[in-house]
Amino acid sequence: MEVPWTICMILLLQMLTRTTSDQATLATSCDSCHGEASCLESRERGDSFTSFSCSCRDGFVGDGLTCYDRNLCNNSSCCERGYRWSPDLGCVDVDECSQQSSPCPAHQICSNRPGSYECLQPSSNSRAGLSSQSVQFRCGDAVCPPGMDCIQTDGNARCADPCEHYSVVDDDWRSTNNTSTDIHCDRDIEWRGWYRMFLEQKSAQIPERCIAERRCGTHAPLWITESHPGVLDGIVSRTVCSAWSGSCCYFSTNTVYVKLCHGNYYVYKLAKPSTCSLAYCADGPSLLNQRCGWMMVKENAGRPRSEMKKDSFLTFSEVKEPPVQLTCGRDKLQVGLDLNSTQSFGLDPFSGHFAARNCSRFRVHGDVVWYEVEARAGACGNIMTTNGTHATFGNNLFLYSSNNESFLLPKRFPFSCSYPLETDTSLNVAVRPTLEWERGISGTGVKATASMSLFLDSSYNDTYPAGQVTLPVGSPLYVGVSVEEMDSNLAVVLENCFATHTSNPEDPVRYPLIENRCSTDRRQVSVVQSGSSLQARFTALLFLLGEEYREIYLHCSLSLCDQRRSNCVPVCQSRKLRSVSNSAALKPITTGPI
């Protein structure tokens, strides 16, 4: 029997592309494969779709997206931290969470991440309405409060709010409306920390619905399978899926973390996809909603499609009804139908109404028909139920066939929106307390205790001992003044300082050094500090006061100034400055003899 030539060609191709490893990674195109890898194409479901897989060639090992030289890496480490070398697989992730001894405490959940792991603390704050998927992160020996993560700031790891510490992802090619052939892959990005998405300089979010393949600037768009959290949910985990080969979740999934910030935007802790070419999608600001965002319509069995497991996701060819979008607004519920998609299912997008037949109000925005109903019990047949944490409004949207010439049952789209029963608010008035004491009893205390010292040098650290000090003429005198046991809001001000030949500050024969807070001669006297704290300092040169070598005493009159009410530091623009009157005078102080 003669063997068909096509089978011979396939066998020859397999021999030429033979690899030393059975490991192959599914990819969206041969362009995703490493330069030392072979790409295998295969057909599924007849000739309707081509799938690709990457395998490393002889002498190389890896997943096909990355290949390592077996001989080179056997002699030296080619793997980064968090990965280990495998002679058959190359650099593989170390799954710390699968080890016999978990790296996390018993009450925490170990979550493996590529090259690392995280210790998560399931939130127990049910009173605040936190989701069962809310998580808390470990930071050193402590567990971060709900809504915070262990974030590197200024070189140190500490618990911080990711809403205040994030990087920006503002690639316009991530838009769900982008169908260009310029392909990107997020596996090439080292995702670290938290990210906020923008489109056209406005806040955006990862879509909550299955996005058709070859959109968002990539082959297999990434989307999250569950709704975004509310403010009270803190940080939650969400599963990410990728649409390819007619399936909404074709490649292996990964987990990201999401938080809704008070500025009505989301931040994401993103993870690297499993293969190429996969990239995170972004919905524009017109799709961003205060709480509910986009949701998938429920199946007839009553289970949300976003809650199905990976293997149970419907392929595009199996979808029996058009996707429905739901927005849970502050005062209204909105159900959106894609105009073209709805018509392709033989339904009239403008024929809808809620449980009450007369409630058929709609508006058209772009290619979406939006039906609206008030968020209150009884409106258009709304049913409201409550539990301990949320109030839920539910209704049905009925849509009729485009064939209006015969009797056909309408298509029913059940939907519901849940709102937390607890909320918070802040007063928009700042209340400043004051104390009324003027009309009460009052008295007068003694003056503050002040002291003056002569220091050894300009550091003002060590003082001369008490008694007489002998210094050469022309020496600098480093004089410091301090006030004890007073309110730190007060500052001591050097009002007047002078020298005499006696220890009596009332001696009529005076030689002025500082007058009206300023130096009398800037060449010989410098005010170093005055009016900034309970300490003051000045420097003066030592010369004879007259023509005799007699003992010299220094005296200063001081005042205390309230720094909360005025600037207490003197500004000396000329030789003398008139004294400010908002200071309390102190008893003059003296040091010497010199």
Side-chain angles (χ1 to χ4, degrees):
M1 180 177 179
E2 186 176 345
V3 180
W5 70 271
T6 53
I7 297 180
C8 293
M9 290 298 294
I10 294 175
L11 294 174
L12 178 61
L13 177 63
Q14 290 178 342
M15 293 175 62
L16 292 175
T17 58
R18 180 173 56 89
T19 64
T20 59
S21 172
D22 294 332
Q23 185 182 19
T25 301
L26 292 174
T28 58
S29 71
C30 289
D31 294 335
S32 304
C33 299
H34 190 266
E36 298 296 341
S38 301
C39 182
L40 179 64
E41 300 183 21
S42 61
R43 298 280 183 180
E44 296 181 1
R45 296 189 299 277
D47 294 330
S48 63
F49 193 84
T50 302
S51 63
F52 305 89
S53 58
C54 305
S55 298
C56 295
R57 296 193 179 104
D58 282 344
F60 293 85
V61 292
D63 59 6
L65 304 177
T66 304
C67 296
Y68 303 90
D69 188 313
R70 184 193 298 274
N71 295 327
L72 177 63
C73 293
N74 271 343
N75 299 326
S76 62
S77 177
C78 297
C79 304
E80 299 178 356
R81 183 178 180 182
Y83 294 83
R84 60 177 178 82
W85 174 255
S86 169
D88 298 324
L89 304 176
C91 291
V92 296
D93 174 51
V94 176
D95 187 356
E96 295 87 353
C97 299
S98 65
Q99 297 175 359
Q100 184 175 3
S101 177
S102 174
C104 299
H107 63 281
Q108 294 183 342
I109 301 174
C110 182
S111 175
N112 190 58
R113 308 281 284 185
S116 64
Y117 68 94
E118 292 174 331
C119 296
L120 305 180
Q121 179 87 5
S123 178
S124 59
N125 192 356
S126 58
R127 188 193 64 82
L130 293 180
S131 165
S132 60
Q133 293 174 303
S134 297
V135 295
Q136 293 175 251
F137 294 88
R138 189 173 186 84
C139 199
D141 296 331
V143 175
C144 294
M148 290 192 176
D149 188 13
C150 190
I151 298 175
Q152 288 280 346
T153 57
D154 301 326
N156 298 317
R158 64 180 182 87
C159 292
D161 188 349
C163 294
E164 300 174 0
H165 302 275
Y166 58 79
S167 302
V168 170
V169 177
D170 56 359
D171 309 304
D172 288 340
W173 54 260
R174 296 183 184 274
S175 171
T176 53
N177 297 323
N178 179 23
T179 57
S180 69
T181 57
D182 188 13
I183 301 303
H184 303 80
C185 182
D186 279 346
R187 194 176 189 272
D188 302 329
I189 299 177
E190 291 297 328
W191 299 101
R192 299 183 185 276
W194 289 81
Y195 297 86
R196 179 181 176 184
M197 287 191 158
F198 286 87
L199 282 180
E200 299 177 353
Q201 299 180 347
K202 296 181 180 179
S203 288
Q205 68 181 68
I206 298 176
E208 301 169 356
R209 68 194 189 282
C210 182
I211 303 298
E213 56 198 59
R214 300 185 186 278
R215 284 181 174 266
C216 307
T218 190
H219 283 149
L222 294 173
W223 59 285
I224 59 176
T225 62
E226 298 156 285
S227 61
H228 281 71
V231 174
L232 298 180
D233 293 326
I235 298 174
V236 301
S237 61
R238 290 293 183 258
T239 301
V240 175
C241 270
S242 52
W244 188 245
S245 185
S247 172
C248 287
C249 212
Y250 184 78
F251 297 100
S252 59
T253 61
N254 59 283
T255 300
V256 299
Y257 300 102
V258 192
K259 181 182 180 182
L260 174 60
C261 302
H262 285 283
N264 199 28
Y265 60 88
Y266 297 103
V267 289
Y268 303 88
K269 192 172 187 179
L270 302 176
K272 183 183 294 188
S274 59
T275 186
C276 278
S277 294
L278 282 65
Y280 291 99
C281 280
D283 266 338
S286 62
L287 309 181
L288 193 62
N289 171 258
Q290 179 194 4
R291 179 171 179 84
C292 293
W294 296 80
M295 296 180 65
M296 296 295 291
V297 67
K298 292 185 177 182
E299 296 298 319
N300 291 335
R303 186 162 55 126
R305 188 175 302 141
S306 61
E307 293 179 3
M308 293 183 179
K309 297 182 179 179
K310 172 184 175 183
D311 295 336
S312 64
F313 268 87
L314 298 179
T315 63
F316 293 118
S317 60
E318 296 170 331
V319 175
K320 302 303 182 183
E321 57 187 35
V324 177
Q325 305 156 16
L326 176 65
T327 299
C328 302
R330 187 184 304 274
D331 55 359
K332 65 178 63 175
L333 284 58
Q334 302 180 69
V335 181
L337 300 167
D338 181 80
L339 190 61
N340 297 326
S341 177
T342 304
Q343 290 174 337
S344 68
F345 280 87
L347 298 174
D348 181 0
F350 307 109
S351 65
H353 62 77
F354 295 107
R357 191 172 57 179
N358 62 336
C359 290
S360 57
R361 178 183 177 184
F362 68 84
R363 61 182 176 85
V364 179
H365 181 72
D367 294 331
V368 180
V369 181
W370 289 96
Y371 287 85
E372 300 178 351
V373 59
E374 291 183 53
R376 62 179 177 84
C380 296
N382 280 351
I383 298 295
M384 185 187 76
T385 61
T386 60
N387 55 22
T389 60
H390 289 77
T392 301
F393 298 90
N395 206 325
N396 286 187
L397 178 67
F398 295 88
L399 213 61
Y400 292 84
S401 170
S402 299
N403 181 10
N404 57 6
E405 297 180 356
S406 60
F407 178 82
L408 293 173
L409 291 177
K411 186 67 177 178
R412 182 173 63 91
F413 298 92
F415 64 92
S416 64
C417 284
S418 296
Y419 297 84
L421 294 177
E422 292 188 359
T423 185
D424 48 44
T425 185
S426 300
L427 188 65
N428 61 355
V429 176
V431 181
R432 184 173 182 176
T434 185
L435 186 65
E436 295 184 358
W437 51 269
E438 290 86 350
R439 298 179 182 179
I441 58 175
S442 62
T444 301
V446 298
K447 289 186 176 182
T449 302
S451 61
M452 182 187 295
S453 303
L454 187 63
F455 291 83
L456 296 175
D457 52 43
S458 59
S459 67
Y460 290 89
N461 290 326
D462 302 317
T463 61
Y464 284 101
Q468 190 177 52
V469 178
T470 301
L471 296 173
V473 173
S475 298
L477 302 176
Y478 301 104
V479 184
V481 173
S482 63
V483 176
E484 302 174 2
E485 299 178 0
M486 292 297 294
D487 193 310
S488 59
N489 290 312
L490 301 177
V492 61
V493 180
L494 298 173
E495 293 286 349
N496 298 287
C497 294
F498 51 92
T500 66
H501 283 304
T502 68
S503 59
N504 181 14
E506 303 298 332
D507 193 324
V509 182
R510 301 182 178 185
Y511 300 87
L513 303 174
I514 297 174
E515 286 187 341
N516 294 325
R517 302 188 173 191
C518 296
S519 168
T520 56
D521 188 342
R522 295 182 179 178
R523 296 171 301 176
Q524 297 187 11
V525 180
S526 172
V527 178
V528 178
Q529 179 182 355
S530 180
S532 60
S533 69
L534 290 174
Q535 294 182 337
R537 297 167 180 173
F538 70 92
T539 303
L541 296 179
L542 176 61
F543 289 105
L544 300 181
L545 301 182
E547 297 181 354
E548 301 179 13
Y549 287 86
R550 298 176 56 187
E551 293 178 343
I552 296 175
Y553 294 85
L554 300 182
H555 314 272
C556 282
S557 58
L558 314 172
S559 65
L560 292 175
C561 177
D562 188 348
Q563 299 181 85
R564 299 171 300 177
R565 305 186 63 178
S566 62
N567 180 20
C568 300
V569 178
V571 179
C572 300
Q573 298 178 347
S574 60
R575 188 174 179 184
K576 294 183 179 180
L577 183 71
R578 189 173 66 180
S579 178
V580 182
S581 61
N582 60 352
S583 301
L586 299 179
K587 181 180 179 180
I589 56 175
T590 300
T591 189
I594 304 172

